[in-house]
Amino acid sequence: MAESTSATDAGRVPPAGSAGPADGARRLERATLTTVPAYARPRVPLDARRTGIVHLGPGAFHRAHQAVYTEDAMAATGDPAWGICAVAPRGRAVVDRLRPQDGLFSVLRLDRDGGAGEPPVRVIGSVTEVLAAPDDPAAVAARIADPAVAVVTLTVTEKGYRRDRATGGLALGDPLVAHDLTGAPPRTAVGLLVGGLRLRHRRGGGPLTVVSCDNLPSNGPLVRRLVTDLAARLPGAGGLPEWIEAHVAFPSTMVDRIVPATRPRDLARIAELLGVRDEGAVAAEPFGQWVIEDRFPGGRPRWEVAGADLVDDVAPFETAKLRLLNATHSAVAYLGALAGATTIDQALALPGMAAFTDHLTRREMLPTLRPCPGLDLEEYRTRVLRRLANPALGHTTRQVGADGTEKLPVRVLAPLRHHIGEGRLPHGVLLTIAAWMRYVTTAPALDDPRAQALAPARAHADAPERVVATLLGLGDVFDPETAELPGLRPALTAHLTLLTRHGVQAALREFKD
C-alpha cells in the first residue's frame, strides 16, 4: 500500500518558483518551526513524544520510510509513545546533520508531474534522539535496554550485517566481527544490538522485537541467526542466547520506496519551500510500501493506519519486490552505465531497454513468483517500470550499481536456478549478470565491499571467457551449485562477449519484440 501524503494541516502549498529564503537562512530546528508553512510542520506534538523505538542506521532510506510511517501512525492514533532514538552505528555524518536540528528533517516528494494538489515537502518529527555509537556505545545499549523501548529497527544495508554467505551466519573472519567477539565495545550493527540485548537481559527487561528493514530474503530469520551466533560466542554470555530465544522476536519485513541521493537542487527547493535550511533533508518518490510480519510481543505502533500491511507471511511480497523491482533496477543500472547513461531514467530511454525490461519482468521474473494476497503482480510489475522511469528521481546508475556482490545474488540467482532447472536459459537474467561482470571489470572506480576480490577479473577485462571463470569462482557471490549449473558458463560467456565486442545496443537488440 502506498504511503498517504495528503496534507493534514491548514496552509496552502506554495507553487514552484515562489520566493525562497535569502542566503544565510536559519537552519531547521525546533526554534524555527514556527516559520515553516503550517502544511509542512510535524504531525505529532514534539513535547508529547516518548522514545519507544531504537533505530540502527538512520540513513536516507530510513528517514524517508520508517520514520514517516511512524510519525503518521502516532498522529493517526494520538499515541506519542513511539518516538525513535536514531543510532549511527559507525560514522558521524548523519548525527552532525540531525542533532543540531533537534532530530528534525524534511522529505521532498519527487513527482514526475509536479504532484499537483499534494504537499511537496513535509518536516518529520518522529526522531526524539540522535546517538553516534562510536562516541558512546554504552548509551546505545542503555537505550535498547530501556523498558520503554519495545522495538529495534535496522537499515544498515546488505553489507552492514557482516554475514558469511556460505554459512548464513556471522563472517567470523571479518576484523570488526572478531573485535566484537572479544567483548570490547562493539563496532558492528549486530554487535551493538547484542550489547543492548545483553544489558536488557541483565536488567530483567521485557520482550523486544527486532525488525530488519533491509533488502534481504527472510531478513527476520537472518538477523536472528546473526544475533544468536554472536550472543553464543560472547565471553560471559551466561543465559543470553536462551533469553533471546524466549523474549525477542525477529519478524520479516519488505520495504519499498525509491530514495536517491539528495542533490543540491533538492536542498535548494526544500529551502525555498520551507523558508529554512535543512541539512538532513531527503528526497523520495511518492510511492511507499511496508509489509510486516505481525509478531510484536512487546507492542508496536499501529503502522497499519499509516498504510503499512501487517501480514502472516511476508515471503511472497519480499520475493516479488526483490525480483521485479530490485533485480530490474540492477539490470538497468549496469546496462545503462555501460552505455554512458548517468541516471536510471536515461538508461530506460535507451533503444531496446523498454523491450528488455518488459521481457525480464514479464517472461522471466513473474513465472517464478507465488501469489501475494491483495497484490496484483502484473499491475505491480507495470507500476515498477513506471516508477523507475520517473525523471524527477535522478537516481544515478552508479548509486544503484554499488555493492553489486551483495545485491546481485539475492536478486537474480534464484530465478536463474529456477529457469535452468526447468531446462530454459533465462536470457534477460543472463544479460543482467553479464552486464554486472562487464561493469565491475571496466568501471573506473568500484564501490563494492569485495573490490579487492574483483581485481583479478579487472586485469583481464577484455577476455570474456576468463572473466566469467574468475567471477563464477567467487564462492561468496556464486555458490558452487549455481556456478556449475548446466549451460551457465557458455551462456554467460556469449552474453559477455557480445557486450565486450559490440556494446549494450547490440545486446539489447536481442530483446526487440
Side-chain angles (χ1 to χ4, degrees):
M1 187 178 296
E3 172 199 353
S4 171
T5 50
S6 58
T8 59
D9 207 346
R12 190 174 67 85
V13 177
S18 60
D23 290 343
R26 293 180 63 190
R27 191 168 179 176
L28 175 65
E29 57 180 320
R30 274 187 181 233
T32 58
L33 266 183
T34 56
T35 68
V36 168
Y39 78 86
R41 294 174 197 163
R43 300 176 183 182
V44 292
L46 300 187
D47 289 336
R49 301 167 305 164
R50 302 188 302 279
T51 300
I53 299 172
V54 172
H55 181 81
L56 303 181
F61 183 79
H62 167 71
R63 304 204 299 278
H65 192 274
Q66 299 95 39
V68 175
Y69 276 93
T70 300
E71 173 167 286
D72 286 347
M74 288 193 289
T77 60
D79 181 359
W82 299 105
I84 300 167
C85 172
V87 177
R90 297 192 67 189
R92 288 198 51 89
V94 173
V95 176
D96 291 340
R97 292 188 189 109
L98 295 184
R99 191 176 281 169
Q101 298 185 175
D102 303 311
L104 299 170
F105 61 90
S106 58
V107 179
L108 177 71
R109 284 170 51 100
L110 297 174
D111 287 348
R112 70 166 72 217
D113 58 3
E118 297 287 348
V121 67
R122 56 181 286 196
V123 176
I124 303 301
S126 52
V127 173
T128 53
E129 183 180 15
V130 185
L131 299 177
D135 293 350
D136 194 352
V140 178
R143 264 306 184 197
I144 295 173
D146 185 342
V149 168
V151 178
V152 176
T153 53
L154 302 91
T155 49
V156 295
T157 75
E158 294 95 330
K159 64 185 176 184
Y161 291 93
R162 302 186 177 273
R163 62 195 175 107
D164 183 327
R165 197 180 299 281
T167 67
L170 280 174
L172 298 177
D174 184 290
L176 295 182
V177 172
H179 167 88
D180 287 1
L181 287 171
T182 67
R187 295 180 182 174
T188 69
V190 173
L192 288 167
L193 179 55
V194 171
L197 294 177
R198 179 166 58 177
L199 185 59
R200 195 176 182 101
H201 168 228
R202 288 175 176 172
R203 292 180 175 179
L208 188 75
T209 304
V210 175
V211 185
S212 168
C213 299
D214 285 297
N215 288 319
L216 292 162
S218 302
N219 51 17
L222 182 150
V223 176
R224 182 185 202 97
R225 167 73 183 277
L226 299 178
V227 165
T228 53
D229 267 7
L230 182 55
R233 289 174 166 84
L234 277 181
L240 179 59
E242 294 76 17
W243 181 86
I244 291 172
E245 179 67 27
H247 293 87
V248 184
F250 296 84
S252 289
T253 67
M254 184 275 273
V255 296
D256 191 3
R257 193 175 194 185
I258 297 174
V259 186
T262 308
R263 301 160 292 185
R265 73 185 190 196
D266 298 326
L267 296 176
R269 176 62 175 151
I270 289 167
E272 177 186 43
L273 291 165
L274 297 182
V276 293
R277 184 176 91 257
D278 180 3
E279 296 185 12
V282 294
E285 66 169 334
F287 178 85
Q289 187 178 25
W290 196 4
V291 183
I292 313 168
E293 184 184 0
D294 196 4
R295 291 194 297 119
F296 289 81
R300 61 169 176 80
R302 290 189 58 202
W303 283 309
E304 64 269 33
V305 302
D309 295 303
L310 278 293
V311 301
D312 293 329
D313 183 11
V314 171
F317 297 91
E318 164 193 277
T319 304
K321 190 245 181 172
L322 283 169
R323 297 182 189 176
L324 292 174
L325 173 63
N326 297 126
T328 307
H329 219 178
S330 291
V332 173
Y334 295 126
L335 289 166
L338 293 173
T342 303
T343 62
I344 294 296
D345 62 289
Q346 291 172 1
L348 279 165
L350 292 169
M353 188 69 83
F356 165 73
T357 55
D358 181 73
H359 173 96
L360 178 67
T361 56
R362 179 165 53 88
R363 297 187 182 181
E364 296 188 9
M365 294 302 181
L366 272 182
T368 72
L369 300 177
R370 288 194 286 143
C372 298
L375 181 64
D376 182 328
L377 287 173
E378 171 58 24
E379 192 278 332
Y380 179 75
R381 180 189 77 86
T382 56
R383 182 171 59 187
V384 160
L385 297 179
R386 290 196 304 271
R387 290 167 57 200
L388 295 182
N390 181 356
L393 293 176
H395 212 177
T396 67
T397 52
R398 178 182 173 86
Q399 182 188 1
V400 178
D403 299 337
T405 60
E406 288 287 334
K407 295 174 180 177
L408 216 63
V410 300
R411 299 179 181 192
V412 302
L413 295 194
L416 176 71
R417 289 190 292 266
H418 172 92
H419 286 288
I420 291 182
E422 295 194 351
R424 296 185 298 271
L425 287 174
H427 291 290
V429 171
L430 289 165
L431 180 58
T432 299
I433 299 171
W436 168 76
M437 289 180 166
R438 184 66 179 159
Y439 178 83
V440 298
T441 53
T442 60
L446 280 183
D447 184 359
D448 194 289
R450 295 178 179 83
Q452 187 172 356
L454 296 170
R458 290 172 67 84
H460 303 282
D462 292 329
E465 188 171 358
R466 191 162 182 176
V467 168
V468 169
T470 301
L471 294 180
L472 286 181
L474 295 179
D476 54 352
V477 179
F478 297 96
D479 62 273
E481 180 183 355
T482 298
E484 297 303 323
L485 285 170
L488 174 62
R489 196 171 298 250
L492 273 178
T493 300
H495 281 286
L496 184 56
T497 299
L498 182 61
L499 284 172
T500 302
R501 296 181 181 172
H502 301 288
V504 170
Q505 293 302 312
L508 291 179
R509 278 197 291 272
E510 302 290 317
F511 294 90
K512 285 190 175 180
D513 293 331

